Amino acid sequence: MRPRLVLIGTGGTIAATAGDARTLTGYRVTQGIDAMLAAIPGAAEVADIRCEQPFNVDSRDLTTARVLRLARAIDRHLRDPDVDGVVVTHGTDSLEETAFFLHLTVRHPKPVVLAGAMRPASALSADGPLNLVNALLTAADPASRDRGVLVVMNDCIVAARHAAKRHTTRVDAFGADGAGVLGAVTDGRVRYAMRPELSDTAAFSLAGLRTLPPVDIILDYQDAPAHPYAAAIQAGSGGIVVAAMGNGSLSPAAARGCAQAARHGLVCVRASRVPDGPVTDAADGPIAAHALNPLQARTALRLALARGMDRAAIHDLLRQL
């Protein structure tokens, strides 16, 4: 029996077109997922594919409500015995945020694969068609089971936990920290080199999750001011993630701002603006993000606050992630 996949289209560059084949920016989302699949030679031969289109937008326009809607749809399909895997097309601007959210909330032996594109479908050498075919091949391959949420771009298979956009325009924009690259798709063949260590269940359940509290990311730097922290407090934020210097080092204003925020009940987390490396625990002050970058720390903190976790529990959670 051929694999049975659900292909969910959400928009992004992979579904966009421009007026000229040489135009690589300034495009608009114009293609639905059914038409996009039909236009790619050989894509429909990979598996029996059912398409779904919950929305069709640039990923810069994604909201918490839309991401929750997508996560619930994926979870529902994975529980269907007639579905062997799910593929999601997604804009690359915020793909890493959605991928990490799914990593924290969706855990199933069946594969979930996200794919996008750096060039619109109308461009010369558009990368979307091959990225989508490779994502379908990955989801259809039995070897992809029990590897968690995956991102497939530019022939690489990356763990969602480690996926990060590292270039603004190139087709090899997505990379991964440490052991995040799990394998590759070469000439239509899926090849794995590593398997991630995953718990049996996701860190957070989607059950009853209707919204997420706001959490701000504040960049720290030389001679940084303290007013962003006061603004976050006034705006009613539930927490602050500081994209701090080095190993989570805080400028004087950031230290004062976090202390003020803590007095108002906000949970503060020290991440780093440095692309690679962990942030270690300190004797006092904000919680360390450990191996999470600022975007990931924000997602984890929002989910933790939504579940009513206290500071100690959040500290333990971030150390484990």
Side-chain angles (χ1 to χ4, degrees), residues 11-256:
T13 302
I14 195 169
T17 55
D20 188 289
R22 296 166 296 180
T23 300
L24 303 182
T25 61
Y27 40 76
R28 293 185 304 109
V29 175
T30 58
Q31 296 187 335
I33 191 64
D34 291 281
M36 191 163 59
L37 179 66
I40 301 175
E45 300 172 6
V46 175
D48 293 330
I49 302 170
R50 172 159 48 97
C51 293
E52 182 175 310
Q53 187 93 56
F55 43 84
N56 203 26
V57 299
D58 283 317
S59 66
R60 64 188 178 192
D61 295 326
L62 284 182
T63 61
T64 298
R66 282 174 169 158
V67 173
L68 282 169
R69 180 180 172 188
L70 173 63
R72 290 197 184 92
I74 294 170
D75 187 62
R76 183 179 71 252
H77 290 308
L78 293 176
R79 295 176 188 277
D80 184 345
D82 292 327
V83 172
D84 297 312
V86 176
V87 173
V88 180
T89 59
H90 195 291
T92 60
D93 277 353
S94 67
L95 187 150
E96 62 194 288
E97 294 181 68
T98 298
F100 187 66
F101 180 87
L102 296 175
H103 167 76
L104 293 179
T105 58
V106 177
R107 186 64 46 80
H108 198 281
K110 298 176 184 178
V112 176
V113 183
L114 281 75
M118 294 301 296
R119 296 172 178 170
S122 56
L124 291 171
S125 300
D127 56 324
L130 184 57
N131 285 345
L132 177 53
V133 170
N134 285 344
L136 293 168
L137 287 167
T138 301
D141 196 308
S144 297
R145 290 178 62 88
D146 293 305
R147 294 185 191 266
V149 179
L150 306 171
V151 175
V152 173
M153 295 278 294
N154 198 44
D155 302 342
C156 290
I157 305 171
V158 179
R161 161 63 184 84
H162 297 278
K165 189 172 183 178
R166 298 185 177 275
H167 198 278
T168 56
T169 58
R170 289 195 318 227
V171 295
D172 62 343
F174 276 80
D177 297 337
V181 177
L182 305 181
V185 186
T186 306
D187 291 335
R189 183 177 178 183
V190 177
R191 299 173 181 267
Y192 283 103
M194 285 183 280
R195 180 179 295 277
E197 290 289 335
L198 297 169
S199 58
D200 292 334
T201 58
F204 297 95
S205 170
L206 289 168
L209 201 61
R210 295 290 172 259
T211 187
L212 299 177
V215 168
D216 293 311
I217 299 176
I218 299 177
L219 179 67
D220 199 19
Y221 45 89
Q222 292 180 357
D223 203 26
H227 63 258
Y229 301 87
I233 295 167
Q234 185 175 5
S237 294
I240 293 172
V241 173
V242 184
M245 295 177 274
N247 181 21
S249 301
L250 299 179
S251 67
R256 291 195 304 270

